[in-house]
Amino acid sequence: MEFDWIIVGAGSAGSVLANRLTADGRTTVAVIEAGKPDNSVLIKMPMGLMWLMGGKRWNYGFRSSPQEHLDKREVPVPRGKALGGSSSINGMIYIRGHRTDFDAWATMGCPGWSYDDVLPYFRKSEVNGRLGGDGYHGDDGELHVSDNRDPHRLNERFFGAGDMLQIPRNPDFNGAHQEGLGMYQTTTHEGKRWSTADAFLRPAMNRPNLTVLTGRQVRRVIVEDKRAKGVETDQGKLTARAGVILAAGAIASPQLLQLSGIGDPARLSQLGIDLVYGNPAVGDNLHDHPNVMLMRKIKSSESYGLSLVGIPRAALAAFNYFYRNRGMFASNVVEAGGFARTIPGIPAPDVQFHFVPFHRSTVPGRIYAWGHGYALHVCVLRPTSRGRVDAVSRDPAVAPRIDPNMMATEYDRETLLRGTRLARRIMESPTFAEVNGEELLPGEQAQSDEDLMAFIRERCGTVYHPVGTCRMGSDAEAVVEPHRLTVNGLNGLHVVDASVMPQIVSGNTNAATIMIAEKVAEAIMAEARMSRAA
């Protein structure tokens, strides 16, 4: 089986690449996905994400190594295992990041990645139901970005609390300004999840020059004479004439490089892997948004929840969803949120909120609890702690060691502490006073900085945004160069996914990953056209 390009991973980046590289009708592409087709009702139904995050059918369900600064706890690291990848199990929130994020990339040795450089690629993908056609948003792309059809009324209490704390309302977090509170737009269409498989991969699957292979595990990239020649899978080998693109994400892409002999020579030697190209930075620079969740009960049945009122209400909502694609089950649950500064005068917001009008269990890993309430997540937008991903076996099916080294720096700890106090002030605002019941997390007893830091160590996790493990840059230690994201020291091997981000974006990472794939696909096809012309 021979193709021009082999793409490993049919997720957020891989689906975009497959669509763009086959659009000319001449370039043959194989996409290899270890997971299954995305044909579950839980994937299509936005509220299904609550079950997808904890399950194993559509989710690798990785866990980190014990975290030194989080009471030696392991934290969940969910990653999508289906067509669409993590875009098939994520919270669907469409956030690009702050302008300064991309300008910082450009100053970190990544020319061509400033905000002005990348904005056209964000717009290219997007078809925005409310904002499309302005200077920031597209109206003729493939990726549907939509407003919530039936927002919960508790969101208005959240916005009112922001008003009282001088946090402005913001109708567009991806426009001129990021700061403020508002409704999140989501990658949904007519009440259903709109993953990258829906937007990019499925429309291209009728092209004769695209082959999509599911249920295949890539074991390694075949490299000969410093050039990628194909891949070895658990069902045989595939050959690539032009090259191989790893789009397997910030956990699997560095693992596959290491299994292919590309990485830290000492670590590879311990696994008995022959060295192809030595670069200790492969797997390094892992980071994510550290996050804690505050929770309160409410005295009414106003929120989503399980109760004598809530159960029949949910039954009616199910009928409403399956017949009209509206109501509670069309909600991504994390309907509203925003961005704020915990220190006045800093250049950009340093924390993000996710507001959840749903009563969850306080027991980690459990979804439901009896009653009604709401939660407010707060995360650090630009963490400074860094960790690693390392293969621990020559078998790619064995999960790698994932050590984000969370909350290792004073900056991360202090920022999350300030964010927790600000979140608590929002939840104690007079706009919530008439409905507020008991504070479940962190609990009324936690008042001092020491108490709140103990709560953070006990409860801190991530927002499931791992990045950085195949960092792009112009320096010798970068894993990929910044133009076409070619692996340094090799030819015909690229990494195109969230792992190339030198620094995490200020917000949910899915939109930026799609943008990265758009930009690199254009560069690859431009080079191919020049080659043919020559």
Side-chain angles (χ1 to χ4, degrees), residues 44-51 53 89-95 146-152 155 183-188 191-193 304 321 327-337 354-358 360 377 508:
K44 304 306 179 185
M45 180 177 69
M47 191 171 272
L49 73 93
M50 294 195 300
W51 294 273
M53 284 295 182
I89 69 167
N90 68 2
M92 294 155 277
I93 296 172
Y94 184 80
I95 295 291
S146 309
D147 291 334
N148 189 304
R149 304 177 98 192
D150 299 298
H152 198 283
N155 296 317
M183 295 295 298
Y184 284 129
Q185 289 198 303
T186 57
T187 49
T188 55
K192 294 183 179 181
R193 179 191 294 271
Y304 300 135
Y321 180 74
M328 179 174 75
F329 290 99
S331 167
N332 70 328
V333 186
V334 188
E335 298 180 353
H354 294 85
F355 180 71
V356 184
F358 176 80
R360 286 195 55 179
H377 293 254
N508 310 69

Side-chain angles (χ1 to χ4, degrees), residues 273-284:
I273 297 173
D274 293 336
L275 183 67
V276 170
Y277 186 79
N279 187 342
V282 173
D284 212 358

Side-chain angles (χ1 to χ4, degrees), residues 52-65:
L52 294 168
M53 284 295 182
K56 286 291 187 79
R57 184 174 175 82
W58 314 103
N59 180 358
Y60 283 96
F62 296 134
R63 297 189 70 82
S64 76
S65 61

Side-chain angles (χ1 to χ4, degrees), residues 384 407-415:
T384 55
M407 304 300 284
T409 66
E410 190 68 18
Y411 172 83
D412 293 357
R413 294 190 290 270
E414 290 297 320
T415 304

Side-chain angles (χ1 to χ4, degrees), residues 390-434:
D390 284 297
V392 297
S393 167
R394 297 175 67 174
D395 182 354
V398 175
R401 183 175 186 269
I402 303 168
D403 180 13
N405 193 27
M406 290 177 61
M407 304 300 284
T409 66
E410 190 68 18
Y411 172 83
D412 293 357
R413 294 190 290 270
E414 290 297 320
T415 304
L416 192 52
L417 176 61
R418 292 193 304 270
T420 300
R421 287 201 174 278
L422 179 55
R424 203 179 213 179
R425 290 176 64 197
I426 290 173
M427 298 171 80
E428 293 173 347
S429 165
T431 61
F432 283 109
E434 66 178 298

